[in-house]
Amino acid sequence: MDFRFTPEEEEFRQEVREFIKQELPPDWEGGGRYPEEDDWDFTVQIRKKMADKGWLTMHWPEEYGGQAASQVRSAIFSEELTYNRTPGRDIFGVRMLGPTLMIHGSEEQKQTHLPPVARGEIQWCQGYSEPQSGSDLASLSTRAVVDGDDFVISGSKIWTSMAHRAEWIMLLTRTDVDAPKHRGISFILVDMKSPGVQVRPIINMANRHEFNEVIFDNVRVPRRNVVGEENRGWYVAVTLLDFERSGIDYSANARRLLEETLQYATETKRNGKPLVETGWVRDALADRFIECEVARLMAFNVAYMQGQGLVPNKEASMSKVFGSETVQRVTKTSMDILGMYGALDRNDKWAPLKGRIQENWMSAFSGTIAAGTSEIQRNIIASRGLEDRKSVG
């Protein structure tokens, strides 16, 4: 991996920054204030402007609405949006479903579902976890029964991010109840407007509406909506997870929070001197900045490997576990530096940094659970990594 960006990549980064500066209001709060809840129309507006520039799906092949750009260039785009807390992306459609369909989908599915994503016209969500199956995803119990040319789906999904905004959901459901649990599962695309689909909001402890429970009550879906082969959806599902776990967002978010904490520690005095001159504060900030850079390089390494046509399975898990845990360490350190004032929320006038650290600290706990827990990631790293070493030996 070359750790330097090309002049063209640096020029593109600056172009994205100028776009963000032009499009966002001067007093923009952004990520952590969840504009997709408060001003969804603005989110869609920004998304379509980015789509018009070809940025949403720039790493896709041109035939599906992309620019055949490098994965590194796409990661630069994502990094800038996350760091600047810019709305507009649909990571479910762009990062997860799109690349998965290109590998496993039929030509009809590609032509039907990829162009609307590239044009910024549609929001997707992911129907994986269930009330009784999280890390053990293969134990899911949502069922799909064949009825002529349709499947009839019954069951429920939980922790479904953006389901309250989504037009479509990529759904894992059991289509053969007699098969072993990793078999007999199908990956199906479901229109959220289908009769029998019900979305129930879940408000998390940070008082955000990201998650939902989705109920399927005898929902009819055409069998042609199955991606890949029926009863072999597990292989499609794990392909998608590799794309889900390979993001730059963890390090970008952590770095922005850490820089804000550094500014606070520089401007705030205790016992007559700035906080940043306190030994433990300096040491903690230095450690966290190093970890942010390591997480960032891990994510760019994944992007680089993808651009070389490789499948970064264990590398994606390494990036995910280290990145999500870095956000936890950064927010914990920031809370320590803010002291008791750090517990105040955004509605309190005395809250440092408008309560953002507190909100991100609470949300950081879910980061090591969503998209596969840290324990699951370490199992993947160990099993895939040791197997690679064994094959070399």
Side-chain angles (χ1 to χ4, degrees), residues 88-334:
R89 283 182 301 161
D90 171 15
I91 63 170
F92 297 102
V94 173
R95 182 189 297 170
M96 296 157 60
L97 176 73
T100 303
L101 273 189
M102 292 176 203
I103 295 172
H104 295 285
S106 67
E107 193 59 32
E108 178 186 3
Q109 290 168 342
K110 296 173 188 177
Q111 295 297 337
T112 298
H113 296 290
L114 296 183
V117 173
R119 293 192 297 265
E121 297 174 349
I122 193 166
Q123 175 71 48
W124 280 83
C125 63
Q126 178 189 23
Y128 273 29
S129 296
E130 297 183 1
Q132 303 300 323
S133 65
S135 296
D136 185 14
L137 182 59
S139 66
L140 61 89
S141 59
T142 295
R143 293 184 56 181
V145 179
V146 174
D147 184 12
D149 293 331
D150 295 337
F151 276 116
V152 179
I153 302 175
S154 298
S156 65
K157 298 292 177 177
I158 203 165
W159 317 124
T160 312
S161 301
M162 298 303 294
H164 58 303
R165 300 293 189 188
E167 286 89 9
W168 283 78
I169 184 171
M170 38 193 150
L171 183 71
L172 281 187
T173 180
R174 191 163 299 284
T175 46
D176 184 351
V177 296
D178 297 322
K181 68 177 185 178
H182 282 84
R183 302 179 183 178
I185 294 173
S186 295
F187 187 107
I188 304 178
L189 310 180
V190 181
D191 188 336
M192 291 289 283
K193 298 184 296 296
S194 302
V197 177
Q198 180 184 358
V199 178
R200 299 175 180 173
I202 297 175
I203 308 300
N204 67 14
M205 67 179 181
N207 200 33
R208 298 177 183 171
H209 179 195
E210 301 172 56
F211 301 131
N212 303 271
E213 183 177 15
V214 185
I215 309 298
F216 299 88
D217 183 9
N218 293 317
V219 178
R220 300 189 72 89
V221 180
R223 292 181 72 176
R224 67 176 180 273
N225 285 17
V226 171
V227 178
E229 298 179 40
E230 290 183 12
N231 300 323
R232 292 180 62 84
W234 182 254
Y235 305 99
V236 183
V238 296
T239 298
L240 183 143
L241 287 174
D242 286 338
F243 291 113
E244 180 182 9
R245 294 167 178 163
S246 60
I248 191 77
D249 308 307
Y250 297 116
S251 63
N253 179 44
R255 181 162 52 92
R256 178 68 183 271
L257 292 170
L258 202 56
E259 288 175 2
E260 291 170 336
T261 302
L262 173 59
Q263 182 178 356
Y264 173 85
T266 302
E267 297 172 349
T268 304
K269 291 184 178 181
R270 285 187 192 158
N271 300 322
K273 65 178 183 179
L275 273 171
V276 75
E277 295 182 11
T278 305
W280 74 265
V281 173
R282 288 202 310 271
D283 291 346
L285 287 172
D287 287 344
R288 299 296 87 79
F289 271 112
I290 291 170
E291 290 166 0
C292 283
E293 186 62 16
V294 171
R296 181 174 186 252
L297 293 176
M298 282 183 165
F300 272 111
N301 181 53
V302 170
Y304 173 80
M305 291 180 66
Q306 290 172 332
Q308 301 300 307
L310 303 172
V311 180
N313 185 277
K314 66 179 183 296
E315 292 84 1
S317 288
M318 291 165 63
S319 177
K320 195 273 178 184
V321 69
F322 192 84
S324 61
E325 292 183 0
T326 293
V327 177
Q328 283 194 349
R329 288 189 291 268
V330 164
T331 54
K332 173 62 166 61
T333 293
S334 295

